[in-house]
Amino acid sequence: MATISHLRSWYRKFYVAISGSGAQVKPWHFQYASTFYLHRTLRRLLPYYGGDILDVGCGNKPYQDWFGHIRTYVGLDIYPGEKVDVVVQPTERWPFPDSSFDVVICTQVLEHVESLQHTLNEIMRVLRPGGVLIASFPFIYNEHGEPNDFRRFSAYGARQLFSEWDIQLVERQGGIGTTLALLLLNWIDAQLSLSDKVRWLKGVLLPLWLPFCLLCNGVALLVDRIDLTGKFYSNVLVVCLKK
């Protein structure tokens, strides 16, 4: 079992080394299609925002360097980590005074929180009047689902969820191409991870897997360009202001 565990660890480290992770995934990563549009939009938007920023569900703070002028940048999470500044329990009050931040960023988090209303209330409480919330969440698939995967919102559901805010943008991200690609590639990866009997195939097939993922992701982006329906998006991004 120790050998199998070591092989898994080696595979993960090697895969990250050649395919990237987080905000730096490469086009041959099997999860590239799930975040391509999110990262593209954040790279365009975040340089216009700055001041005192709170990153909710911050993880490794992948977007900190994308912001404009930063006065303070605080990372909040329910799990400790190297870049996590504040650890909170899921339903406790956050240790910040009212109206402490100019911007709250909360990407791919709201689908996981145990108490959605509590989290939204805390975000609104710690934002200054006129402060900005930048939030995103998956609509089709969540690569970090189990076991805390509680909800999905369509673009219409997002408008309803943030009806008390001044909504500036609701962006449907992705099309039929990237949606199919992320489902196919993540399904294959999940199938090859079901048991130790088949997991070794991931390492053996890696020289074929990487170019296959690159091909699928490239074709997916091309197909998205001809999808004018707006119905087959996989992610939603929202920008809104505290009234």
Side-chain angles (χ1 to χ4, degrees), residues 5-237:
S5 177
H6 289 151
L7 288 174
R8 290 177 189 168
S9 178
W10 175 87
Y11 178 87
R12 285 195 294 267
K13 291 179 180 178
F14 182 73
Y15 194 84
V16 168
I18 61 176
S19 301
S21 64
Q24 306 298 329
V25 293
K26 302 296 192 295
W28 48 89
H29 197 295
F30 71 94
Q31 291 179 342
Y32 179 77
S34 66
T35 58
F36 171 80
Y37 293 103
L38 172 63
H39 293 164
R40 186 178 70 172
T41 297
L42 290 179
R43 284 185 182 276
R44 174 173 54 85
L45 290 179
L46 296 188
Y48 293 99
Y49 298 104
D52 297 311
I53 301 168
L54 176 64
D55 190 336
V56 176
C58 65
N60 292 321
K61 296 181 179 176
Y63 309 120
Q64 181 174 0
D65 293 339
W66 297 2
F67 277 92
H69 172 70
I70 296 175
R71 187 163 46 245
T72 61
Y73 195 100
V74 180
L76 177 144
D77 212 312
I78 63 171
Y79 302 109
E82 181 180 351
K83 295 189 176 182
V84 176
D85 301 302
V86 178
V87 178
V88 297
Q89 296 301 311
T91 57
E92 75 172 339
R93 181 184 173 93
W94 297 350
F96 310 115
D98 295 356
S99 304
S100 296
F101 297 97
D102 300 297
V103 180
V104 171
I105 181 169
C106 182
T107 62
Q108 314 305 90
V109 171
L110 295 178
E111 68 275 13
H112 296 299
V113 299
E114 293 182 19
S115 175
L116 178 61
Q117 193 57 55
H118 168 77
T119 301
L120 293 177
N121 289 344
E122 285 298 282
I123 290 173
M124 181 170 282
R125 181 182 68 80
V126 301
L127 268 176
R128 294 173 178 135
V132 180
L133 169 62
I134 303 167
S136 68
F137 27 82
F139 178 48
I140 295 294
Y141 173 77
N142 183 6
E143 65 269 22
H144 304 297
E146 299 179 357
N148 300 316
D149 185 15
F150 301 122
R151 60 189 66 86
R152 293 289 183 276
F153 294 101
S154 67
Y156 298 107
R159 288 190 176 277
Q160 185 180 62
L161 181 66
F162 296 104
S163 59
E164 296 182 5
W165 299 68
D166 181 4
I167 298 175
Q168 304 291 298
L169 172 68
V170 176
E171 181 176 273
R172 305 180 186 197
Q173 297 184 325
I176 187 63
T178 48
T179 295
L180 290 177
L182 74 90
L183 290 175
L184 172 64
L185 296 178
N186 281 275
W187 174 78
I188 293 174
D189 180 78
Q191 283 289 107
L192 294 178
S193 302
L194 288 177
S195 70
D196 293 332
K197 293 181 179 179
V198 296
R199 192 176 281 113
W200 64 272
L201 282 174
K202 294 176 72 172
V204 173
L205 296 175
L206 189 60
L208 299 176
W209 176 237
L210 296 178
F212 177 71
C213 291
L214 179 62
L215 175 64
C216 287
N217 289 327
V219 171
L221 291 174
L222 290 175
V223 173
D224 277 0
R225 300 186 69 172
I226 64 172
D227 178 13
L228 304 180
T229 66
K231 297 179 181 293
F232 299 96
Y233 54 98
S234 60
N235 206 62
V236 178
L237 179 135

